[in-house]
Each structure stands twice: as structure tokens, then as C-alpha cells.
Amino acid sequence: GAVVSQHPSRVICKSGTSVKIECRSLDFQATTMFWYRQFPKQSLMLMATSNEGSKATYEQGVEKDKFLINHASLTLSTLTVTSAHPEDSSFYICSASISGGGQYPKQYFGPGTRLTVL
Amino acid sequence: GENVEQHPSTLSVQEGDSAVIKCTYSDSASNYFPWYKQELGKGPQLIIDIRSNVGEKKDQRIAVTLNKTAKHFSLHITETQPEDSAVYFCAASEGNFNKFYFGSGTKLNVKP
């Protein structure tokens, strides 16, 4: 149980194009989804927190117009990197959170998306 | 906000030995502490977690201990195997708010 998928797993695009990454919780409904960015040999950097049907909350320093997040349902969130540039190349990981029933929220991570901008 | 520090950054052990990774946190309100294992090119996988009302939790070869007074928690892996080689991250969360604060990671290398 608690499987999170991401699509695509890898994407290579030209500078200036936009890229959409999907995150799905396959066997549960996620109250909250999170988007992280990870540089090589570094920890996960939280970019934004997303709740279904409401606007995402972005962390300080993350451009909301650059990284568009849409959380359309309890099982799907998308991250669109607009007008991508080489410095946006990174490993993007989503997580989905299960809470409720007196349990502490647990985050389950997707397999990640490797974005390379040429 | 919360600050989580993790040590060591790299750890090499011989197969069969034990490995210990330590984390400290700063916010006394944090009450949930998960540990994740990340293999190369993959997303982190939850391996064990502990809540602040518990001092220790075990799951086969993996255990986590928590000292609330000192604000530190540790991951213990016994009888290590080469497939335990990965990067391990600790995290702290004030459960009600969902947000996790991650440590900087420990690269564990288990030598056969």
C-alpha cells in the first residue's frame, strides 16, 4: 500500500520550454502533496505544499510563477516548470501525505523525475 | 523554524557489523521522526518512524531511539548487508502541520 507514482521519470527539454510532471497516489487519497527538489548529493529541499482544491503554499525563495502547482484531486498533483532554463535541471520528487484517524501524517515519496534542460 | 542535523555524512562498515546514524533537532514541538532510505536515482522510502510518546521502536534489523530531553534520535541497523548501502535521511515534524524537515543525509556503504 501507499504507492506514489511520478511521470515522466526522465525528461530532457530545450531551454525556454515548459515541462509538466505528474504525481499520483495510486492506492490512497492524499490530504496533502509536497514537491521537493534535490541536487546531487544533497538533501531534499521543500518547494511547496499543496492541498486539493486550494492554492499551493510555496517555500521562501521558490518562484510560484516559475513552478506552477495544480492539485486537481485527492490523487493527482502536477508541477509545471515554466520557461525552463539549465539551472532548473534537477531531480524533482513529490510526496503524498496520509493523515487522519488519530495517526500522525506520513509522507510517501514518488520515484522522482530527472529534469535536464539543454 | 526547525533545524535537523545529521551525522555522519558518510559511513563505511563491514558486512555483518552494526551502523548507527544520529540526528538532532531544535524545535521541542517536533513530535514525529521518520527515517528514509534513498537508493541512487530513486525516491526516498520510509523505513521506520517514531513518535514522541515512544522511546524506542524496532523492526527486524532496524531500530530507532528517541531522547526527547536531549532532542536527538538515532537509527540503528544491525547485521548490515550490502543491500543496505544507500543514503539515509532523518526528518522531524510537528505532526499536525505535516511539514517535514530533513537532515542532510548519510551515505552508508556496506562492504562485502
Side-chain angles (χ1 to χ4, degrees):
Chain A
V3 178
V4 177
S5 71
Q6 267 183 255
H7 179 80
S9 57
R10 286 180 174 271
V11 57
I12 300 173
C13 68
K14 292 183 179 179
S15 186
T17 59
S18 294
V19 174
K20 181 186 282 189
I21 303 169
E22 288 188 352
C23 176
R24 293 181 186 271
S25 55
L26 297 185
D27 51 1
F28 65 97
Q29 291 188 326
T31 49
T32 307
M33 287 185 169
F34 301 84
W35 286 96
Y36 294 83
R37 185 173 179 177
Q38 188 178 34
F39 290 105
K41 299 184 180 180
Q42 293 191 22
S43 189
L44 292 83
M45 183 192 84
L46 179 65
M47 299 173 67
T49 302
S50 160
N51 292 293
E52 184 258 344
S54 61
K55 287 185 179 180
T57 302
Y58 290 82
E59 294 298 301
Q60 192 172 7
V62 178
E63 299 175 60
K64 61 181 180 181
D65 295 331
K66 171 82 172 170
F67 300 99
L68 301 178
I69 292 172
N70 184 2
H71 195 152
S73 74
L74 286 172
T75 59
L76 173 64
S77 177
T78 61
L79 168 69
T80 301
V81 183
T82 62
S83 187
H85 292 286
E87 57 266 29
D88 298 323
S89 298
S90 190
F91 193 50
Y92 291 88
I93 313 174
C94 72
S95 72
S97 176
I98 301 175
S99 64
Q103 298 292 317
Y104 286 74
K106 296 195 179 194
Q107 287 191 32
Y108 295 92
F109 285 83
T113 296
R114 172 75 58 194
L115 170 64
T116 303
V117 185
L118 303 176
Chain B
E2 174 66 280
N3 180 44
V4 178
E5 295 191 355
Q6 184 172 344
H7 299 281
S9 57
T10 59
L11 178 60
S12 284
V13 299
Q14 208 64 41
E15 182 178 0
D17 288 350
S18 295
V20 181
I21 303 170
K22 298 181 179 182
C23 288
T24 61
Y25 62 98
S26 60
D27 189 348
S28 57
S30 289
N31 54 15
Y32 174 64
F33 307 92
W35 284 88
Y36 288 87
K37 175 184 180 183
Q38 186 177 28
E39 296 176 343
L40 191 63
K42 297 183 179 179
Q45 296 296 309
L46 178 67
I47 55 171
I48 197 168
D49 55 11
I50 192 167
R51 296 162 191 170
S52 59
N53 59 346
V54 175
E56 182 174 359
K57 183 177 178 181
K58 254 186 170 180
D59 183 3
Q60 300 182 342
R61 297 187 296 109
I62 294 172
V64 57
T65 58
L66 170 65
N67 183 327
K68 281 175 56 180
T69 305
K71 297 201 197 74
H72 66 71
F73 57 112
S74 300
L75 177 71
H76 304 253
I77 306 174
T78 58
E79 300 172 33
T80 53
Q81 300 165 4
E83 50 265 38
D84 294 330
S85 297
V87 179
Y88 292 80
F89 290 98
C90 64
S93 170
E94 189 181 354
N96 292 334
F97 292 91
N98 243 335
K99 189 171 170 178
F100 285 13
Y101 297 86
F102 283 88
S104 52
T106 296
K107 183 173 182 180
L108 174 64
N109 179 33
V110 180
K111 295 176 281 188

